[in-house]
Structure formats: structure tokens, C-alpha cells
Amino acid sequence: MSEGQSSARAPAGARTPVGRPLLSLTLASMMDEVHAHSGAVYLLSPDRPVLEMAVMAGLPRAFAAPWERVALSAPIPVADAVRDRRLVWVGGEEEMARRYPRIAVVLPYPFALAALPVATATRAYGAVFVTWPGTRPQELSDWERDHMAAACDRLAVRLERAAEQSLPLADEPDLLAAPLVGGTAGTLGSVEAARMVSRLPYGLCSLDVHGRVGFANAAAAELLDVPVGRLLGTHLWASVPWLNDPVYEDRYRAALFSQHVTSFVALRPPSDWLSFRLYPSTTGLSVRISRARAVTEMNRAAPQPGRAGARLVTISQVLDLAGALTEAVGVQDVVQLVADEVAPAVGSQGLVVLGSRAGRLQVLGHRGYPDPRVVERYDGMPLSEPTPGSQVLRTGVPAFFESRADVERLYPSLVSMSDFSAWAYLPLIASGRPVGTCVLSYTAPHHFATEERAVLTSLAGLIAQALERAVLYDAKHRLAHGLQEALLPHTLPSLAGIEAAARYLPATQGMEIGGDFYDLVPTQGMAAAVIGDVQGHNVTAAGLMGQVRTAVRAYTAVGQAPEDVMRSTNRLLLDLGAELFASCLYLRLDPAHGRAVMSRAGHPPPLLRRPDGRVRVLDLAGGPLLGIDGSASYPSTEVDFSPGSVLVLYTDGLVESPGTDFEVALADLGRRLTDLGDLPMDELADALVQHGADVGGRPDDVAVLLLRALPAG
């Protein structure tokens, strides 16, 4: 599908690739129109929710290595643009750090970015992003928005036509990259200009956008102590060993991204300091090299001679994926993030995360396997079994299998390994011990080069740290929920004349365990109900809550009146010396006579919905919080509880949230009770707590106890 070329000209049945570089030309034209200095086109994978970089312009592709392949769920601008079908604009360095911190960590330079979807009304084909130096205005003009959107729309239509005609897209080069030249005179355009440069007392060299040397004068060669012939066509930091440090390469990246003049000093062993000044343009860099003077104060941050630096692409990948893994909370979060972020970045199509428990393999999660049984049959297998997963987990040594034959040669007893053809088994080692194994699977034979093995092993260390935290979190989460469930009633008793329902939601902050409690206790001919809230969201609060609930049951069993139950519980808290306070609301229900007697200790007032649908807030008299004053009294109040009435008892987490007025929230709860009060009790309870859950994260626990008086008989 080239412009001006019809598929009708091709022989029947032939599928000729797109003739002209459609993607590169579209990108170059867009960048030229809006004066952007770099950009890229992503295409959506036909069989996976993954965006793959098809072409990049203005900057070397290595700069975007962490984002060569990105999941549609990834928190980056191109993925947001496709998901939301909208233009995403990031106006500068500060906004990037606020909205997309993972990108800001890898590219901490002043630049602006716009990302747009390439999509028709029915289908998304990919996305485009372009960038500008940080000196441009903070906002996009309407003209710029319209031109970029129109270019993306035209590209989407052309991709749609190519798809309809089954015309593949050919690989395309970066059209904006300036070609390297073979000689000094050709570089500068004239022999006389070359002679002039050669006479200058300082070094000059030219780098293209990929960092390759296209020209160097004799002074530069002398200062760098490397002949010109060995510099031309190579990366400066590769040909000059003492410049092979990420700190110096980062300055080159900063100059290209920001289009600002950038400089640094470097130590040429053993003791000579050189100054490098980088002058960028959209086609590359001009570098001036001279001897540095008075750099004693500056050399503290310089790398030590002979210290080799890791390649910057590897560092970028590690920084980006480390940022992603810090977002993982539980084990399944880690599995999902590895599947969404790590696997696409390294080209893997399948993933298994293994752990161990009691000497047996444990499958923690997997993605990309059409038949889950292929993976799940290993769950519970003894670690002594001869499998790659157990071997790597036991020894902590990675294993790479570049083909199915490699696996069958070392593990002949293994049965079918699904449809995959290559595997990387990475030990997940944290705190000096293996916590699991990450298995990356490839659908075709895959050669694992030395650099790739190093990258995968480094990523495994990050995954291990996240997995160790996640395992601890899940264990703590299970403990907290188990303790909470043990302290609250498993079910509510069936009582004559009363229909009841209860709900409890833990706070979404902290340990997800707290001091909210409720109970419904049958007594002779009547019933007692209680709801309360012990201060705090931790194990101490939960333990004290259990003691308070048990005490209320005991005082109810011996027949104490509501006000006496509250006084006795208050004295108990003071005797325990827990230094925690509790609010409480206690009711003695008499459905046969249609009444309820209540006593309150600093607790939010209950709501009463009458049979006619009207709702009343029962602002009862009461006393202070339990655990403050040993001499406090808690007067009781009798209210009508005729058949059809509904009492709503709740803790403050249902109606209190930051920035919300208590009276307004209480009035809103009353309106919802008026509208929904005729629902079955379980549905009503779900509706009341769900409204609070939809608002956002819960800073406090929520407990609700609903009581409906039933007609006699």
C-alpha cells in the first residue's frame, strides 16, 4: 500500500509489501509541520494487546529501548492515547515527573511530548508520539493539534486499506538520520574548510543522532589519544575506553533531548582533565574538546579510572521496569506486571512464576499458555524432581534453552513442553536466598546473547525483590483477614420478629484490619444488638475489639440493662489499660411490643426508616467514648420499632471521608435509605456499603448492621 500505487497493478494473488516508507514519511512530515525534533510510530500487535515500535526518527532507537514493546495497560503516553482514543500532551519535565514518573526516571531531561492514537472509527492500529525541546511553549496550539490528528487519521485510513488488501508493511529506516561520510573534506563541504578546522588549537568532532563519529580533526585525535581512523564510524564512548561510562553518555542524551548546549569534564588517565562541550541539532551533535582548567572542585563526581560502566540501554530498561515493579502489592500483581512490562520488553510470549512451599513447587501465576494444564501440572511437584524449574530454584543458577532440543537433551524424561520452543529460567534471589523462578517462554528458537543474559539476570533480581515483598504482603493480608473473621460473627442468628443483615469492609490503608465490630445476641423473648469502633487499624485495635465484643455478650447474658452494659464495658476498658478509646451503640430490641431501648457512647446516631418510608436520625442522649471516664453514665432512650421499621446502625467510616461534611453525608445516607429501604435486607446492605466503596479508597473501616421489624405471625 504505497501512496499512488494501486494493488490492482499487482498480479492476482501477489502480496507486494508497501513500496514507499509510509510510516517514516508520515512521521517525518508530521514532525516537520509542528517543528518537533523526534518521534516514533507504534503498531498494535494483531494477536496481543501490545504496542510495538515500528519506526523512530530524530533520536536513536536505543533511547527508547525500555519502550520498544509496551503493553496497552502500561502507564505511558502512547498506551494511554490508544486506550482512551485521545491526544496525550505532556508539557515539560515537571509534568512528566508528576504524570509518568517511570519515564521521567529514565529520561530526566527538559522536553515536551504529544502522543496520538492511529485509529479509525472501528479499529485502533497504533500510536504516534513526537517530542520538542523543553524551550517550546507549555501548551499545544489548536493548529498543532489539528495537524497532528489529521496526519494520524490519514495514516489510519492507509493502514486500514493495507489490512483489507493483506499488504504487509516493509521494514523502514529512520529517514531523519544524517548519513555518515567517509572523509573530512566531504564532511565539511570543502578542502579549505577542512584545513581551517585542522589548524584550530582545540578538538572538534561531529556525531550523528546515534552517537557515531562522522568527523574528527587532528587536535581531537591528539586530545583523545585515539587515531582519527579508529574514531570514524564508531561511538565515541566505545572507541575511547575512559569515556565508556553512563555519566558521559547521559550528557549526549541530554543534549539531543533538550536541544540545549551541554558540557562535562572527564579524566583522561592518568591525570589530564578534558572539557567536552556538545552543540546539538536535529541531525546530530558538534563536540568541542579542550583541556580543562581548575577542575579540582568538579572531579568529585567523576568516575574512577578504569571503572567500566554498564551500557545505558540496560540501565534504562532496569530503571523503567524497577519503577513498574514498585507498584506491585500482592503476588498476582507481580505476575501481572511481569507479564505486562517485562515479557513484552524482552520479546517473550509466555510466562510462569514458580515458588516453593514445604519442599514442593508452587505455581504462583502464568500467562500466555492457551492450555493452563501444561503449567498447573507442576504445582505440588517435589523439588527433587528433575525439571528445569526445580533445578533453578534449588541452585539459584539461571538456565537458558535456545531450542526444544536443548531441553530434551538435558531433561529427556520431560513430557510435552507446550508449543514453545525456547525458555529462560531465571532464579529469583532476594535477601540471599531463592524465592522463586521466573520462566520466560518464546514461540520460536531464541539465541540468548551474553548481553541479553546479563539483562535478564538483572531483571530477575528486581522481580525477586518485588516477589519477596508481595509474598510477605499476601501472608500479612491473610493473617489480618483471618483474625478479623475470627473476631466478627460468621453469621447472624435467626430471631423471631427480626430480619437482620450486616456488612464489614476493612480500610484500604494500613493492615486492612481494624476495630469496627457488630453483634446480634438472642435473649429471652428479646434480642440485643451492638455496634462499635475501637480506635486504630492494627492488630492491637482488633484484639481489643474482640475483648469488648465478648464483654458486651457477657453483660447481656446476665441481664444487664443497656445503660449498665455500657457502664460495665467502660470500666473494663479502663481496667485493661489499653489507652485506646471506643465508640459504641447498644440496643435491647422487643419486636413483640414494637420498641427498642438504646444507649450510646460517642457513636454516630442510628437511622430509623418508618414503614411509610420516612427516615429519622435518632440523635439520642448518651455519654462519652468508652475508656475515658470511669464515672461516666450512659442514659438510655426508648424508640418505636413497629413492624416494617428498619434500623440502620453503622460506624463512622460509612459517612466520614476527607473533605466531606458529616451532616451532608448523613443526609445523603438518609435519602438512599428512603429510596432503597424496601429492598431485601442483603441487597439493601450491599447498596449502602457499595456507595461508600465507589467514592474511592477507604481511610477507615466500615461496619453496617441492619435490623427490620417483621409483622407478627
Side-chain angles (χ1 to χ4, degrees):
M1 184 206 65
S2 60
E3 297 180 53
Q5 177 181 7
S6 171
S7 62
R9 299 178 185 175
R15 288 295 178 260
T16 304
V18 172
R20 298 175 61 189
L22 172 63
L23 304 181
S24 295
L25 287 176
T26 299
L27 180 61
S29 175
M30 180 190 300
M31 291 170 55
D32 184 61
E33 286 180 341
V34 298
H35 306 294
H37 80 290
S38 73
V41 178
Y42 284 83
L43 295 179
L44 189 60
S45 173
D47 54 352
R48 292 186 299 160
V50 172
L51 289 167
E52 298 177 338
M53 185 180 292
V55 63
M56 188 168 187
L59 291 172
R61 186 172 289 223
F63 282 17
W67 308 289
E68 278 273 2
R69 288 179 292 272
V70 297
L72 270 182
S73 59
I76 67 171
V78 288
D80 286 350
V82 176
R83 287 198 312 270
D84 301 338
R85 299 291 185 94
R86 64 179 177 87
L87 183 150
V88 176
W89 167 248
V90 183
E93 190 175 11
E94 292 184 4
E95 187 177 359
M96 183 69 75
R98 184 175 68 255
R99 294 174 57 190
Y100 301 101
R102 285 167 47 192
I103 294 179
V105 167
V106 180
L107 303 174
Y109 315 119
F111 68 97
L113 179 146
L116 301 92
V118 176
T120 62
T122 57
R123 179 179 171 184
Y125 291 91
V128 172
F129 81 76
V130 292
T131 68
W132 295 262
T135 53
R136 68 148 288 136
Q138 288 286 314
E139 296 296 332
L140 273 177
S141 68
D142 292 340
W143 182 89
E144 289 172 317
R145 291 174 179 269
D146 293 343
H147 271 65
M148 289 191 295
C152 289
D153 290 344
R154 289 194 297 270
L155 177 58
V157 170
R158 291 166 183 163
L159 292 174
E160 183 177 51
R161 291 173 183 166
E164 290 172 352
Q165 300 173 25
S166 300
L167 297 179
L169 291 174
D171 292 337
E172 300 184 18
D174 178 354
L175 296 185
L176 298 188
L180 285 173
V181 296
T184 302
T187 302
L188 297 178
S190 73
V191 174
E192 185 55 38
R195 290 172 179 168
M196 178 195 71
V197 170
S198 68
R199 291 193 292 265
L200 293 175
Y202 45 79
L204 287 176
C205 62
S206 174
L207 309 182
D208 70 0
V209 293
H210 298 283
R212 296 171 301 192
V213 179
F215 164 81
N217 67 356
E222 181 181 355
L223 288 169
L224 297 174
D225 197 23
V226 177
V228 171
R230 282 175 47 192
L231 289 173
L232 294 178
T234 69
H235 292 94
L236 191 61
W237 42 88
S239 298
V240 184
W242 45 272
L243 285 180
N244 187 18
D245 190 283
V247 173
Y248 304 142
E249 192 178 349
D250 179 68
R251 295 297 82 208
Y252 146 73
R253 286 157 51 97
L256 280 181
F257 262 100
S258 66
Q259 293 291 294
H260 290 167
V261 176
T262 306
S263 61
F264 64 89
V265 293
L267 176 63
R268 188 188 74 182
S271 58
D272 294 328
W273 286 91
L274 300 182
S275 172
F276 294 79
R277 193 160 182 84
L278 285 62
Y279 299 86
S281 74
T282 56
T283 58
L285 295 170
S286 297
V287 183
R288 172 176 166 166
I289 309 170
S290 60
R291 296 188 183 276
R293 310 294 182 189
V295 295
T296 305
E297 298 83 4
M298 302 170 64
N299 64 12
R300 297 173 186 167
Q304 297 300 315
R307 192 183 79 187
R311 298 308 303 147
L312 196 59
V313 171
T314 301
I315 290 176
S316 300
Q317 289 174 319
V318 171
L319 283 172
D320 180 63
L321 295 170
L325 288 168
T326 59
E327 302 169 5
V329 179
V331 169
Q332 291 309 309
D333 294 332
V334 173
V335 174
Q336 191 62 50
L337 272 170
V338 173
D340 289 345
E341 305 284 344
V342 178
V346 300
S348 169
Q349 292 80 39
L351 167 74
V352 182
V353 179
L354 301 171
S356 65
R357 178 184 296 171
R360 294 179 177 273
L361 277 178
Q362 181 183 13
V363 177
L364 300 178
H366 57 86
R367 300 290 187 275
Y369 283 77
D371 185 358
R373 293 173 297 180
V374 172
V375 175
E376 292 168 0
R377 62 181 174 174
Y378 292 101
D379 196 49
M381 180 179 290
L383 288 178
S384 57
E385 287 287 325
T387 67
S390 57
Q391 175 74 10
V392 169
L393 200 152
R394 286 197 315 269
T395 63
V397 178
F400 298 92
F401 302 98
E402 299 187 347
S403 67
R404 185 182 294 269
D406 288 350
V407 177
E408 294 173 347
R409 183 173 63 253
L410 295 175
Y411 298 92
S413 61
L414 280 185
V415 291
S416 172
M417 296 286 290
S418 76
D419 295 329
F420 292 102
S421 300
W423 298 266
Y425 285 80
L426 308 173
L428 305 179
I429 300 175
S431 304
R433 64 182 183 86
V435 296
T437 301
C438 177
V439 185
L440 298 171
S441 308
Y442 300 78
T443 53
H446 184 87
H447 172 62
F448 296 97
T450 301
E451 182 179 353
E452 184 178 6
R453 295 186 184 208
V455 171
L456 292 177
T457 304
S458 298
L459 295 178
L462 296 174
I463 297 169
Q465 297 289 335
L467 183 62
E468 184 183 45
R469 293 192 305 268
V471 169
L472 291 174
Y473 172 84
D474 283 351
K476 183 181 73 171
H477 192 73
R478 287 192 299 270
L479 174 64
H481 277 253
L483 178 59
Q484 193 82 57
E485 290 177 0
L487 294 174
L488 291 173
H490 293 289
T491 59
L492 296 177
S494 297
L495 302 174
I498 296 176
E499 184 183 5
R503 295 292 184 270
Y504 171 81
L505 296 176
T508 55
Q509 302 172 8
M511 285 191 66
E512 299 192 11
I513 184 173
D516 287 18
F517 67 96
Y518 60 86
D519 206 353
L520 186 61
V521 185
T523 60
Q524 292 183 351
M526 291 189 291
V530 63
I531 193 166
D533 184 0
V534 176
Q535 174 190 14
H537 307 102
N538 50 38
V539 174
T540 302
L544 187 60
M545 173 266 283
Q547 292 175 298
V548 171
R549 177 174 167 248
T550 302
V552 169
R553 267 188 168 262
Y555 299 140
T556 299
V558 298
Q560 287 190 359
E563 59 269 26
D564 295 327
V565 171
M566 299 297 275
R567 279 197 297 267
S568 299
T569 307
N570 181 46
R571 287 194 298 269
L572 173 67
L573 256 66
L574 290 168
D575 292 342
L576 290 174
E579 298 184 354
L580 293 178
F581 309 135
S583 69
C584 191
L585 177 64
Y586 181 86
L587 293 77
R588 189 64 59 84
L589 303 168
D590 186 359
H593 296 88
R595 65 191 187 100
V597 180
M598 309 182 184
S599 183
R600 186 161 70 109
H603 199 79
L607 271 62
L608 175 65
R609 185 183 191 272
R610 299 182 181 279
D612 59 7
R614 291 182 298 164
V615 174
R616 173 188 170 196
V617 178
L618 302 178
D619 194 7
L620 312 171
L625 293 169
L626 303 177
I628 295 179
D629 181 5
S631 62
S633 61
Y634 299 92
S636 59
T637 303
E638 181 176 319
V639 298
D640 177 71
F641 191 50
S642 54
S645 299
V646 178
L647 274 170
V648 178
L649 319 180
Y650 57 93
T651 55
D652 53 9
L654 184 67
V655 292
E656 290 185 355
S657 60
T660 302
D661 182 78
F662 175 78
E663 297 297 334
V664 173
L666 194 61
D668 182 55
L669 177 62
R671 285 191 293 270
R672 282 183 281 125
L673 183 59
T674 299
D675 297 337
L676 306 174
D678 292 327
L679 290 174
M681 292 297 274
D682 282 327
E683 293 183 23
L684 177 59
D686 289 336
L688 294 182
V689 299
Q690 186 60 44
H691 178 82
D694 289 341
V695 173
R698 293 183 300 277
D700 199 1
D701 310 324
V702 174
V704 173
L705 178 60
L706 306 182
L707 304 166
R708 174 178 283 153
L710 300 176

